[in-house]
Amino acid sequence: MQTCTSPTEKRRIVIAGGGYAGTTLAVRLAKRIRPSDDVEILLIEPNPCQQALSELDLVAVGPPRPEFCELWLPTIFKDLPVTVCYNRVHAVLPDEHAVLVGPREGPHEKVPYWRLVLATGAVAFVPPVPGLKEHATTMWSVHDAQKLQERIQQQFRVAAKTVDREARARALSFAVIGGGATGIEIVGTMAQMLPKRMLDHGLDPRDLHVHLVEGRPDILYDLPESLRRKAKARLARLKVELHLGSMVSSVDDEGITLENGARVPASVVVFCGGAKADPDATTWGLAADPSGRLTVDEWLRASGKPDIYAIGDVAAFRDPETKRTLPMLAQFAIREAEHTADNLLRELRGQPTEPFRPHMHGEFVSIGPSYGVGWAFRFHLSGIPAIIMKRFTYVMYWYEVGGIRIAWKRLREMLAMQR
Ligand SMILES: Cc1cc2nc3c(=O)[nH]c(=O)nc-3n(C[C@H](O)[C@H](O)[C@H](O)COP(=O)(O)OP(=O)(O)OC[C@H]3O[C@@H](n4cnc5c(N)ncnc54)[C@H](O)[C@@H]3O)c2cc1C
């Protein structure tokens, strides 16, 4: 059996999950520890390529790429004092201060920890609507995005061979379910980029139909009313057909039936209706809220377990000011990771730790690669300034974890995907 660790006298910090939260934490800790801290950092993550959740719309609809990776972890960690184990945490044994590492079917290696940080993220949640699981693609991983890319290519091939105009338009009907940020980003990118891709394939963009289905009467509820209006105006300019205010009752291979009886024809359906915390985390004997996110105290420590932290999407941090649980957003995952890294350093040095106080400085949603809506501090932005702000947050993340070279490389890749 391949093992993750070798015996050590040092205090070991084990980080489970190398997404936005886990990678930020590992990099920040590694850059700040001193030899006298006497610590080993072990990051356990099954995938050497970090999932590009915030660029999935471009991966799905932009120019096809054989492979896509937001950050290649071996490059990020090659010069840092972090041991990366490309495997998964199978179980947590809080009483033994250890995790079991290995595939589901075993064998498992027992890895002791001094502190454990759980950052295993979330997965797409598909409600039990008839036909939804069978006929819709979710949008929560690069694999999902590549599946959608393939489905689009497939429909282009079908349309190219179809003489009848109506049948061709049916083949080129796409529907996105979910009017939150994820759904709006994917529908906007489809509506803006597919016409050009169709022209490249000798197809007539007038045959394209892009639908957005949302059960509530409006979209983007997290944004102020004025920005929601701008978002809808933008979708109208992109000729997205909106179906608001009725839930989906079933999905089949020709489209969607709504509870109000309306029919939305679609050869490809994308479901962006929700996410739930990593379901494995609820099997680890730690307290979770009703939605399955691990409950944490103000220091982001798992309830009743002072040597286990939980951060990012898997954790349910209740903001003491607003009394609301933080939403699953990369910006909070990153802030929680930075805070936890600083608290771990304080713990290592025998200093008092500090409670986490979240602040939301802004939120931006892209509606196609060249337009966005959102706010920062007290300013509302739309159009190109908003999309620049949105892209800027990615660049900052790449810069923080990978430095200027990686940030520049990724920025060029992202701009290439938008063409
Ligand atoms: C399409 C889409 C668009 C989004 N856009 C935005 C946006 O614009 N802005 C924003 O703020 N947020 C956005 N989000 C949300 C954001 O991506 C998440 O909040 C963020 O990824 C959370 O980071 P995380 O580190 O908690 O989890 P993740 O980034 O999901 O990382 C979790 C990691 O844990 C690993 N893992 C899972 N199980 C195990 C295990 N048992 N052992 C070890 N490792 C494990 C996984 O492989 C993964 O690498 C978007 C999400 C989606 C799906």
Side-chain angles (χ1 to χ4, degrees), residues 269-315:
V269 177
V270 186
F271 181 71
C272 302
K276 62 174 182 191
D278 168 26
D280 287 344
T282 52
T283 66
W284 294 338
L286 303 168
D289 74 2
S291 75
R293 294 174 86 184
L294 301 179
T295 50
V296 291
D297 64 14
E298 285 186 52
W299 284 260
L300 292 156
R301 293 173 307 202
S303 302
K305 308 282 180 209
D307 56 358
I308 302 179
Y309 290 85
I311 58 174
D313 285 357
V314 77

XYZ file of all heavy atoms in Angstrom, residues 269-315:
340
model
N -30.627 19.864 -21.110
C -31.084 20.545 -19.890
C -29.925 20.573 -18.897
O -29.277 19.559 -18.649
C -32.297 19.811 -19.267
C -32.722 20.470 -17.952
C -33.464 19.777 -20.247
N -29.671 21.759 -18.344
C -28.613 21.905 -17.341
C -29.290 22.262 -16.029
O -30.092 23.196 -15.983
C -27.631 23.038 -17.730
C -26.460 23.084 -16.753
C -27.130 22.864 -19.152
N -28.959 21.520 -14.968
C -29.592 21.795 -13.678
C -28.616 22.514 -12.754
O -27.556 21.983 -12.411
C -30.070 20.488 -13.023
C -30.741 20.736 -11.703
C -31.992 21.336 -11.660
C -30.117 20.414 -10.511
C -32.614 21.605 -10.446
C -30.730 20.676 -9.294
C -31.978 21.270 -9.264
N -28.975 23.723 -12.364
C -28.131 24.514 -11.453
C -28.972 24.911 -10.249
O -29.013 26.076 -9.855
C -27.622 25.770 -12.148
S -26.678 25.451 -13.625
N -29.686 23.949 -9.697
C -30.678 24.279 -8.670
C -30.192 24.139 -7.244
O -30.956 24.391 -6.315
N -28.964 23.734 -7.008
C -28.550 23.674 -5.609
C -27.353 22.787 -5.366
O -26.893 22.061 -6.251
N -26.862 22.884 -4.128
C -25.693 22.098 -3.734
C -25.879 21.646 -2.299
O -26.641 22.249 -1.547
C -24.448 22.970 -3.832
N -25.208 20.576 -1.939
C -25.216 20.165 -0.530
C -23.785 19.828 -0.123
O -22.959 19.429 -0.967
C -26.157 18.984 -0.302
C -25.774 17.743 -1.049
C -26.668 16.578 -0.667
C -26.196 15.352 -1.428
N -26.989 14.229 -1.427
N -23.512 19.987 1.162
C -22.155 19.755 1.663
C -21.726 18.322 1.366
O -22.579 17.424 1.240
C -22.125 20.009 3.160
N -20.419 18.120 1.267
C -19.848 16.789 1.037
C -20.586 15.757 1.899
O -20.493 15.798 3.129
C -18.355 16.847 1.403
C -17.735 15.454 1.482
O -18.243 14.543 0.815
O -16.740 15.306 2.227
N -21.341 14.829 1.294
C -22.156 13.910 2.100
C -21.325 12.978 2.983
O -21.801 12.517 4.016
C -22.959 13.119 1.061
C -22.330 13.394 -0.256
C -21.499 14.624 -0.143
N -20.064 12.716 2.604
C -19.225 11.848 3.446
C -18.991 12.474 4.818
O -18.853 11.770 5.820
C -17.859 11.607 2.787
C -17.970 10.663 1.598
O -19.008 9.979 1.488
O -17.035 10.633 0.784
N -18.940 13.816 4.854
C -18.584 14.495 6.109
C -19.583 14.183 7.220
O -19.225 14.167 8.399
C -18.488 15.999 5.875
N -20.838 13.912 6.840
C -21.841 13.628 7.877
C -21.674 12.213 8.441
O -22.336 11.847 9.401
C -23.277 13.769 7.324
O -23.367 12.986 6.143
C -23.635 15.208 7.037
N -20.790 11.423 7.837
C -20.584 10.057 8.357
C -19.393 10.018 9.316
O -18.979 8.944 9.741
C -20.334 9.052 7.210
O -19.073 9.390 6.586
C -21.432 9.092 6.166
N -18.804 11.181 9.595
C -17.572 11.199 10.385
C -17.809 11.478 11.872
O -16.887 11.838 12.613
C -16.589 12.233 9.798
C -16.099 11.846 8.423
C -16.077 10.593 7.889
C -15.571 12.713 7.413
N -15.575 10.624 6.607
C -15.253 11.910 6.289
C -15.329 14.085 7.339
C -14.713 12.433 5.117
C -14.793 14.601 6.171
C -14.487 13.782 5.075
N -19.072 11.372 12.302
C -19.381 11.502 13.730
C -19.302 12.929 14.244
O -19.182 13.143 15.451
N -19.370 13.910 13.340
C -19.311 15.309 13.770
C -20.704 15.920 13.625
O -21.495 15.483 12.772
C -18.305 16.083 12.905
C -16.886 15.505 12.915
C -16.033 16.142 11.824
C -16.238 15.723 14.281
N -20.989 16.953 14.437
C -22.332 17.546 14.398
C -22.532 18.307 13.087
O -21.627 18.991 12.603
C -22.503 18.487 15.579
N -23.739 18.159 12.521
C -24.057 18.843 11.260
C -25.418 19.516 11.390
O -26.247 19.106 12.206
C -24.080 17.835 10.116
N -25.649 20.557 10.569
C -26.971 21.203 10.582
C -27.922 20.387 9.698
O -27.487 19.417 9.051
C -26.846 22.686 10.177
C -26.596 22.881 8.686
O -26.556 21.883 7.943
O -26.442 24.035 8.264
N -29.218 20.741 9.639
C -30.154 19.896 8.879
C -29.793 19.765 7.399
O -30.155 18.790 6.748
C -31.497 20.620 9.048
C -31.343 21.441 10.287
C -29.903 21.818 10.375
N -29.035 20.735 6.848
C -28.681 20.630 5.427
C -27.439 19.760 5.219
O -27.025 19.524 4.084
C -28.432 22.023 4.842
O -27.174 22.505 5.281
N -26.802 19.309 6.317
C -25.641 18.422 6.185
C -24.306 19.139 6.281
O -23.254 18.514 6.147
N -24.319 20.465 6.505
C -23.027 21.172 6.675
C -22.578 21.022 8.129
O -23.408 21.076 9.054
C -23.179 22.656 6.323
C -23.475 22.880 4.850
C -23.768 24.338 4.556
N -22.568 25.124 4.312
C -22.579 26.451 4.115
N -23.714 27.128 4.172
N -21.451 27.093 3.885
N -21.284 20.856 8.350
C -20.772 20.641 9.705
C -20.913 21.927 10.518
O -20.529 23.009 10.049
C -19.294 20.231 9.653
C -18.984 18.950 8.864
C -17.482 18.670 8.866
C -19.749 17.757 9.436
N -21.449 21.809 11.721
C -21.609 23.015 12.536
C -20.274 23.351 13.193
O -19.520 22.462 13.605
C -22.705 22.830 13.603
O -22.453 21.613 14.292
C -24.084 22.768 12.978
N -19.983 24.642 13.240
C -18.707 25.107 13.798
C -18.970 26.241 14.778
O -20.008 26.902 14.707
C -17.747 25.602 12.683
C -17.266 24.461 11.818
C -18.401 26.683 11.819
N -17.989 26.468 15.669
C -18.131 27.589 16.601
C -17.542 28.853 15.969
O -17.181 28.857 14.786
C -17.497 27.243 17.958
C -15.983 27.026 17.853
O -15.396 27.403 16.817
O -15.389 26.494 18.805
N -17.419 29.895 16.762
C -16.951 31.175 16.197
C -15.499 31.119 15.741
O -15.014 32.003 15.065
C -17.105 32.283 17.237
C -18.540 32.711 17.420
C -18.647 33.911 18.346
O -17.946 34.908 18.110
O -19.408 33.819 19.318
N -14.782 30.065 16.169
C -13.370 29.901 15.769
C -13.252 28.932 14.589
O -12.177 28.504 14.262
C -12.547 29.390 16.953
C -12.257 30.455 17.966
C -11.089 31.151 18.100
C -13.135 30.959 18.970
N -11.196 32.052 19.121
C -12.439 31.961 19.676
C -14.450 30.679 19.341
C -13.004 32.676 20.732
C -15.022 31.387 20.390
C -14.295 32.370 21.067
N -14.403 28.538 14.035
C -14.467 27.592 12.924
C -14.039 26.179 13.334
O -13.572 25.390 12.515
C -13.627 28.088 11.727
C -14.203 29.336 11.048
C -13.114 30.119 10.318
C -15.309 28.961 10.064
N -14.188 25.882 14.648
C -13.872 24.534 15.113
C -15.152 23.706 15.130
O -16.219 24.209 15.524
C -13.273 24.580 16.523
C -11.910 25.258 16.540
C -11.422 25.431 17.940
N -12.413 26.109 18.779
C -12.122 26.763 19.893
N -10.875 26.827 20.310
N -13.062 27.343 20.610
N -15.038 22.448 14.710
C -16.215 21.566 14.691
C -16.789 21.502 16.106
O -16.027 21.433 17.085
C -15.801 20.183 14.215
N -18.131 21.526 16.204
C -18.781 21.602 17.517
C -18.227 20.550 18.474
O -18.237 19.352 18.164
C -20.285 21.387 17.372
O -20.804 22.347 16.501
N -17.716 21.009 19.609
C -17.242 20.107 20.662
C -15.919 19.428 20.359
O -15.502 18.536 21.103
N -15.239 19.812 19.276
C -13.964 19.157 18.911
C -12.897 20.246 18.712
O -12.687 20.724 17.587
C -14.092 18.361 17.596
C -15.238 17.384 17.552
C -14.916 16.126 18.318
C -16.091 15.167 18.250
N -16.219 14.300 19.395
N -12.228 20.636 19.779
C -11.313 21.783 19.662
C -10.112 21.547 18.749
O -9.474 22.506 18.338
C -10.864 22.023 21.110
C -11.253 20.815 21.875
C -12.343 20.117 21.135
N -9.813 20.302 18.391
C -8.661 20.108 17.500
C -9.073 19.821 16.055
O -8.257 19.422 15.232
C -7.715 19.018 18.030
C -8.427 17.697 18.248
O -9.656 17.654 18.024
O -7.762 16.719 18.629
N -10.371 20.042 15.741
C -10.819 19.863 14.347
C -11.471 21.162 13.868
O -12.413 21.665 14.492
C -11.845 18.709 14.223
C -11.235 17.400 14.736
C -12.314 18.564 12.781
C -12.177 16.208 14.668
N -10.967 21.701 12.779
C -11.590 22.872 12.155
C -12.364 22.407 10.923
O -11.997 21.406 10.297
C -10.527 23.870 11.692
C -9.796 24.582 12.813
C -8.694 24.000 13.436
C -10.193 25.848 13.229
C -8.019 24.656 14.455
C -9.519 26.517 14.248
C -8.433 25.920 14.858
O -7.765 26.568 15.859
N -13.423 23.138 10.577
C -14.124 22.873 9.306
C -14.333 24.217 8.620
O -14.804 25.178 9.252
C -15.455 22.173 9.549
N -13.956 24.294 7.345
C -14.021 25.579 6.627
C -14.553 25.366 5.210
O -14.551 24.249 4.696
C -12.621 26.258 6.561
C -11.591 25.337 5.878
C -12.145 26.656 7.946
C -10.232 26.008 5.652
N -15.006 26.452 4.603
C -15.502 26.375 3.224
C -16.919 25.829 3.179
O -17.659 25.851 4.166
N -17.293 25.298 2.019
C -18.676 24.856 1.792
C -19.135 23.774 2.767
O -20.322 23.661 3.060
C -18.819 24.290 0.371
C -18.841 25.373 -0.693
O -18.800 26.562 -0.330
O -18.894 25.021 -1.889
N -18.198 22.952 3.253
C -18.604 21.831 4.115
C -19.035 22.324 5.499
O -19.725 21.617 6.233
C -17.454 20.786 4.218
C -16.350 21.248 5.159
C -17.983 19.428 4.640
N -18.656 23.564 5.842
C -18.922 24.075 7.191
C -20.087 25.059 7.179
O -20.262 25.822 6.235
C -17.676 24.779 7.719
